[in-house]
Structures are given as C-alpha cells and as structure tokens.
Amino acid sequence: MAEIYRIDGSFDHGFFEGTSCAFGVFDGVHQGHRFLLGCARETAERSGGASVALTFDIDPDEVFHPERLKKLMTNEERLAMLASTGVDAVCVLPFTREFAASTPAEFLVQTFDGTVPAYLHVGFDFKFGARARGTVEDLDVWGAAGGTKVQAHGLKSEDGAPITATRIRLLLADGDVEEAARLLGRPYFMTGTVRPGRGEGADFGFRTANLVVPDQLRPLGDGVYAAWAEVDGARYKAAVNVGVPATFADRSTATCEVHLLDFEGDLYGKPVKVEFFHWLREMRKFDDVDELIATVQGNIQWVRDNL
C-alpha cells in the first residue's frame, strides 16, 4: 500500500521533485483513472522517480453542489483504493472555498510550491482554478516553463465512449450494475452500518439488515438486486432492496435492506459492504402479503442458484 500524504503546512513540497503525478478527483477509481495512474507508473519507471496519485481530500462538488452530488464511494474508500493501485504515494490537497477561488496560476503555486514534477498526467478535459478557467493548454505553458512534461489522455472504453464517473452514475441510476462494473473494473459496492428497521422481514421469514447510507452515497437506482455482502471478513450471498418499498411507503424512508443468505447472528451496529452483481426487478406495490412473500422468496432463490 502506498503512503498517503496530506499537502498542508507541514508537507515538504520538495517531495515532488522528479515524480510522475496523475492528477484528478478519482471518484470510483474506475478503469479510466487506472489507465491514468498506469501512465504515471510507466513514466516514473522510465525516469527513476516516484509515481504519485494527486487528488483532493473531498470531491469539489461537496462544496459547490452537495444537494445533487451522488458519489461512487466515500472519500476514505477513494484514498484507500488509490493507495492500492500500485503508485508509490497518494498526495491529498485540502479542498476549500478559498483554495477553489485561486486563479489557475495561484492553484499551481499552492499545489507544488515551486517544486514541479517531471511528468503530470491528466484527462484531456482537465480543468483547474477558479471557475475551472485553467485548461490543459495552460498546463502545457506552465510545464514548458518549469520543466514538467504534461500529458493529457483520452480515457475511453472499448466502445470509444469516454469513461467518466458521471457515465457510471447514470448507469447505476438505471440499475445497470453489470455495465457499471465493466467500466469500474470491479463490482460497484455500497457500505453502511446496520440499524434497526421496520421489522416486517423477520415476521415474513426473511430477516433483513437495514443499512444507513447517506443520500450522497446512493447513486444506485431503486430496485431489487443480487449481491454479495461482506461482514466481519466473511462473504454471503444477498438479496438487496434499494429504495423505498412501495408496499410500506407510508412508513419507510429510502434505504438499503439486505437479506444475507445463511447468516446467523446479530448485525446491529456492524458495517456491511455490499457488492452489486445483477438487477432482479423494479420496486412495486403488492396486493397482499402472500404475493410479497412469494416474490421475495423467489428473488432469494435466484440469488442462491445463480450467484
């Protein structure tokens, strides 16, 4: 695992000398991001410097558009995953409104403080500085003056379309977890802590763990999914209900309810990681309890037979 450094008052910017940096937010650490990080590792190997993932401590939209943000992972998960990609270090810039108000030139000074990397890898549409006025062309000029080779990359999938966190969020909103997994290079996962729920599941014969997941971390569309759940280091097949159950809409809030197959024990207060593999059905209101139970039991059987 790579070391994670916070670029604050105690950080020695001389660290950047000779490095190859990949710069971005990296929400989801998807296949496009991994390509960019791979480029940084490649130029670092050629030049003999360190490879660095350069990012922010939060998603900038947490400051500017928190009401509409749907993140693919927590900031802690993002930094930990970046540290596991094979780079030598992860450098984290604190993102504040004051920092965001910097001109492009000020942004680069505050980031590198005069010690520039040997290589800087970014996406072809990279923007920086106040109102995103800084462009790749500005980086080229800055790099030429200071001795940094700036390389901008088109991050595309096999179909030729760009791989972006926004594209993945739209796929998840439609329940297409399989295509999202292809672009992520891994299954999409959601984490949460188990809290007491409505309690009907136990009465119906299938207990569920009610996960508390903040709205910002639920890009996945409402529906029922086949998944794997991880708790206390063990993995279980799971049938997962995401969203408001229509039958209980009058006493429910949007949630994530997980039925772990063959699990025995108490889950309250425990963190659970859920990896989504297949969309089973949309949410709907049932005419009676028997129809609800039969449908849910069918979903559980599908998970048992097919995952």
Side-chain angles (χ1 to χ4, degrees):
M1 294 284 286
E3 193 76 24
I4 299 176
Y5 299 93
R6 185 175 175 86
I7 303 178
D8 55 19
S10 64
F11 179 75
D12 180 5
H13 287 77
F15 175 85
F16 286 121
E17 185 174 357
T19 60
S20 291
C21 296
F23 199 171
V25 177
F26 300 121
D27 184 30
V29 195
H30 56 60
Q31 291 287 66
H33 296 147
R34 289 177 183 273
F35 172 78
L36 201 66
L37 294 161
C39 292
R41 294 198 308 271
E42 181 182 339
T43 52
E45 186 174 345
R46 290 205 313 262
S47 65
S51 58
V52 176
L54 180 59
T55 190
F56 302 110
D57 60 347
I58 63 172
D59 189 310
D61 278 344
E62 291 180 57
V63 172
F64 297 114
H65 305 292
E67 73 289 344
R68 72 185 191 207
L69 179 60
K70 295 292 184 182
K71 295 168 60 176
L72 298 176
M73 59 200 333
T74 67
N75 294 314
E76 294 77 15
E77 289 166 343
R78 174 172 56 90
L79 296 180
M81 191 170 288
L82 284 172
S84 70
T85 59
V87 294
D88 296 309
V90 178
C91 290
V92 184
L93 286 160
F95 192 89
T96 63
R97 284 189 176 274
E98 292 74 23
F99 181 70
S102 306
T103 66
E106 291 169 343
F107 181 98
L108 292 168
V109 168
Q110 291 182 64
T111 299
F112 297 108
D113 195 25
T115 305
V116 299
Y119 292 88
L120 183 62
H121 299 272
V122 296
F124 75 94
D125 58 350
F126 183 80
K127 298 288 195 300
F128 64 99
R131 301 185 182 277
R133 287 195 294 259
T135 65
V136 170
E137 289 73 21
D138 295 321
L139 280 182
D140 284 335
V141 172
W142 169 81
T148 298
K149 295 180 181 178
V150 176
Q151 298 184 0
H153 306 271
L155 311 179
K156 296 182 178 181
S157 57
E158 293 174 358
D159 58 12
I163 304 176
T164 67
T166 298
R167 179 182 173 189
I168 294 169
R169 292 183 193 115
L170 292 173
L171 288 167
L172 292 172
D174 287 339
D176 193 348
V177 292
E178 288 159 314
E179 178 64 8
R182 187 180 72 84
L183 299 182
L184 285 166
R186 57 172 176 81
Y188 166 72
F189 67 83
M190 183 186 296
T191 56
T193 302
V194 180
R195 295 286 184 261
R198 297 183 311 277
E200 291 95 348
D203 296 335
F204 297 158
F206 38 82
R207 294 177 60 200
T208 59
N210 188 66
L211 297 192
V212 177
V213 182
D215 285 347
Q216 278 191 349
L217 293 169
R218 285 195 292 107
L220 193 58
D222 290 359
V224 180
Y225 296 84
W228 282 90
E230 182 176 323
V231 57
D232 289 338
R235 283 166 61 84
Y236 301 87
K237 294 179 180 181
V240 185
N241 186 93
V242 176
V244 178
T247 304
F248 306 105
D250 59 338
R251 55 187 186 277
S252 296
T253 56
T255 186
C256 178
E257 296 178 337
V258 186
H259 172 73
L260 286 74
L261 278 66
D262 305 319
F263 176 84
E264 297 291 339
D266 185 4
L267 286 170
Y268 289 138
K270 292 186 176 182
V272 177
K273 177 181 178 180
V274 183
E275 294 182 333
F276 295 85
F277 283 83
H278 185 70
W279 184 89
L280 293 175
R281 63 174 174 86
E282 63 186 8
M283 304 283 279
R284 67 183 183 88
K285 188 171 183 177
F286 294 93
D287 294 332
D288 56 57
V289 171
D290 289 340
E291 183 187 12
L292 166 64
I293 292 174
T295 301
V296 174
Q297 288 177 338
N299 298 149
I300 293 171
Q301 191 62 46
W302 191 99
V303 172
R304 185 180 297 281
D305 295 341
N306 292 280
L307 277 194

